[in-house]
Amino acid sequence: ETWKDLIEAHPDQFTWGSDKWFTWHFDEDVGALLEEFGRSFIGQLDPAVQEKFAYLNAEKMLAER
């Protein structure tokens, strides 16, 4: 709830990340769980915020570089 509330209050200041670092992150089952977690979390956000958080904020940030 903490992150949901913060993201919805500041929808232009957060992005979703799915960085992989440790060897076990690359396991197929772990990858599927991370994907499921991400989709579930994003799906619970206000619909007006979902696309911004999921990818639009990242696209905007990268375009500004």
Side-chain angles (χ1 to χ4, degrees), residues 4-17:
K4 181 181 184 302
D5 292 344
L6 283 170
I7 292 164
E8 290 177 346
H10 308 282
D12 296 321
Q13 297 179 15
F14 291 92
T15 63
W16 175 251

Side-chain angles (χ1 to χ4, degrees), residues 43-65:
Q44 293 177 43
L45 294 172
D46 180 325
V49 175
Q50 290 176 359
E51 285 185 314
K52 285 183 175 186
F53 178 69
Y55 70 94
L56 291 176
N57 289 342
E59 285 183 348
K60 181 180 175 187
M61 179 180 65
L62 293 171
E64 293 173 354
R65 293 187 85 200

Side-chain angles (χ1 to χ4, degrees), residues 13-61:
Q13 297 179 15
F14 291 92
T15 63
W16 175 251
S18 56
D19 296 349
K20 295 182 177 185
W21 181 260
F22 299 104
T23 305
W24 57 270
H25 287 160
F26 295 92
D27 180 271
E28 271 189 62
D29 293 333
V30 172
L33 286 172
L34 292 172
E35 183 177 320
E36 182 180 336
F37 171 80
R39 288 182 179 182
S40 176
F41 179 77
I42 292 168
Q44 293 177 43
L45 294 172
D46 180 325
V49 175
Q50 290 176 359
E51 285 185 314
K52 285 183 175 186
F53 178 69
Y55 70 94
L56 291 176
N57 289 342
E59 285 183 348
K60 181 180 175 187
M61 179 180 65

